[in-house]
């Protein structure tokens, strides 16, 4: 139920994403909570996981200010905010809400939807949701199937991921 | 290898925590990265997971300014920063580093250590590590054993976790 | 050189703002630095100073993605981001840059311009500029004229502006 | 009423600072609001203004956990948090509050005190206070005397202070 795609060469079909956990970030480009929280979170998920395990998709679900959030405006927004994952335009519906938003009974934006490797919708969060929770959910969904090999936790070695606010011990 | 405990009535023994994923947050109370990142992250983990699944333990691993970071100072620090999980004082070693820090070959503070349900150390991060990653790791460790029932991802309903920066759709 | 105004009943004329320090916040609604820094700063200035001392004006100076940042889109943006001060649309020019932007030789957005009580442009900052600096500049401009009475610094009493991260001394 | 100084070769005497605006940041090293807000603000003031115009002084005003916030602990704290301005230890008083804190009738920490060029205490803020306000206050105090030449606002040229979230216009 997408009328137009950005950031992808071919249209995206959820059925062809089976075998991966699918993260759908429903947003509106003029929704402050989407800009400050939802989209950066989706981008972080997109950056962290390999494509054959997790598929992140944006969904532009406009339910207000339709004339202000056209596909033309969206394209400029995605460019300026450097959104790298595919984004679909949720197809206009009969009421104010677009079709996917209505079908999923979303309460507003941002809404983050998690779909498991078999294609079942398993979680749906409206508003801000913690990264700890989403990381936990994705791992749980990846682990319950054997469709893809699960990325192991890092080996028993130090991994320097710190900035300079950490305190480094003297060399031994 | 702990010389004193805070925030717990009985001393803590890792062996008795078998069956849970153990998160050890090694810190120094005067380390800026611990105060701004490591300890709030440990507190968020402590707040999110049930005690019979995840055990969060702080470890005060002082390797510098020993006279400034005494147990007396630590106690006031834990009170002022409202740290709620148990914190042990890493026992003084022969070199500058305390005993657990040396045994785990930590590079500095903050260091976050993950121990699986069978008691094996599985991951160790020095510096800042993303919440998404830690949430993922904890779920992976919880799911690989059947020692405890794994908390399911939320059911297919909206869960309002939003603040008022989200945009609420009109009622249907 | 404004083609349309929002958030004001009557068009705004800089000449009629003489006697106040004028703060012009030039922005584009799809410029991330404007959304995260420039506009919140302008709003904070608008909130802090009385209208007869400081006049805050937004200027939508679009030099790219013209089709995406129309007055219709701007109106929705101002509503969603709760911008309360008057905003003018910088009139289209002959090149990519609109007229005021070109006349003021702005380098991009956000740009904050300070105009003194006599109507002279006195400072112009491109990009992020510290609140400390802007507070200092505004006071300097207000103090150099006697056009308006300068707001005194607070009297010699405690003023509780704190949140609960402050430590309150016991009552004496 | 200071028992010991850090970050200065000679003891500091307020009388000898006449002719400058003096900013006193009263804090406790284990007070979360001081660490997250008050001290970074004082450091930013110290970084912005020339020494012959504005003097920033820290004051360690301990009214609780005295055994945990000794001069030895303070010295390590100042080192780890890279506090560059002079810091005095507020001398112990008869009650819980130290002497300067009691004399100034401070309500707790952080408290920011502003003293004008003639040595009169003019403002005192407990808790968080905005940078815009402090910048304004300092300029007002500097401008009301002619003791020091007031730093002019920047000339009518662009000043690039931006990060890369700003949008740069194409060259003309």
């Amino acid at each position: 139920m997408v009328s137009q795609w950005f950031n992808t060469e071919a249209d995206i079909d959820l059925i062809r994403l089976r075998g991966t956990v699918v993260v759908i970030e429903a947003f509106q480009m003029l929704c402050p909570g989407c800009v400050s929280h939802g989209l950066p979170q989706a981008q972080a998920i997109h950056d962290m996981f390999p494509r054959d395990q997790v598929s992140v998709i944006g969904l532009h679900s406009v339910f207000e200010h339709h004339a202000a959030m056209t596909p033309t405006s969206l394209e400029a927004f995605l460019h300026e905010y450097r959104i790298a994952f595919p984004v679909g335009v949720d197809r206009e519906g009969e009421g104010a809400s677009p079709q996917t938003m209505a079908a999923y009974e979303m309460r507003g934006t941002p809404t983050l939807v998690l779909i498991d490797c078999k294609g079942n919708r398993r979680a749906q969060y409206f508003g801000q949701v913690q990264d700890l929770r989403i990381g936990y959910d994705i791992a749980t969904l990846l682990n319950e199937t054997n469709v893809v090999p699960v990325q192991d936790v890092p080996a028993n070695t130090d991994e320097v991921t710190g900035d300079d606010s950490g305190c480094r011990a003297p060399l031994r």
Side-chain angles (χ1 to χ4, degrees), chain A:
Chain A
M1 296 181 285
V2 160
S3 54
Q4 188 174 350
W5 285 98
F6 294 96
N7 292 340
T8 174
E9 295 184 4
D11 286 5
I12 288 177
D13 182 348
L14 283 186
I15 291 180
R16 301 190 55 176
L17 298 177
R18 294 270 164 88
T20 70
V21 169
V22 179
V23 177
I24 299 177
E25 178 70 32
F27 72 101
Q28 295 181 107
M29 58 175 279
L30 297 184
C31 159
C34 302
V35 170
S36 66
H37 176 80
L39 289 166
Q41 184 176 57
Q43 186 66 50
I45 299 168
H46 182 71
D47 292 343
M48 174 169 291
F49 293 98
R51 300 287 173 273
D52 59 355
Q53 292 189 13
V54 177
S55 306
V56 175
I57 298 173
L59 183 69
H60 198 227
S61 294
V62 179
F63 60 83
E64 56 187 350
H65 308 299
H66 293 82
M69 295 191 271
T70 61
T72 297
S73 292
L74 175 63
E75 186 171 23
F77 173 84
L78 297 176
H79 178 265
E80 289 302 311
Y81 279 87
R82 299 172 192 173
I83 305 295
F85 47 82
V87 173
V89 177
D90 198 355
R91 189 182 294 278
E92 214 175 318
E94 297 189 355
S97 294
Q99 292 184 19
T100 310
M101 186 175 201
Y104 281 23
E105 298 187 331
M106 294 180 191
R107 293 189 183 175
T109 55
T111 290
L112 189 150
V113 181
L114 291 174
I115 296 175
D116 67 20
C117 297
K118 294 177 181 165
N120 299 308
R121 186 155 50 114
R122 295 288 294 279
Q124 186 164 309
Y125 299 98
F126 167 54
Q128 289 202 14
V129 53
Q130 285 186 285
D131 281 355
L132 268 178
R133 159 59 59 190
I134 296 303
Y136 177 91
D137 287 356
I138 289 174
T140 300
L141 295 179
L142 282 173
N143 280 284
E144 70 184 7
T145 72
N146 290 318
V147 177
V148 292
V150 174
Q151 185 185 5
D152 195 17
V153 298
N156 180 9
T157 58
D158 276 4
E159 177 170 316
V160 177
T161 52
D163 58 12
D164 63 358
S165 66
C167 295
R168 201 170 291 273
L171 290 178
R172 278 174 290 262

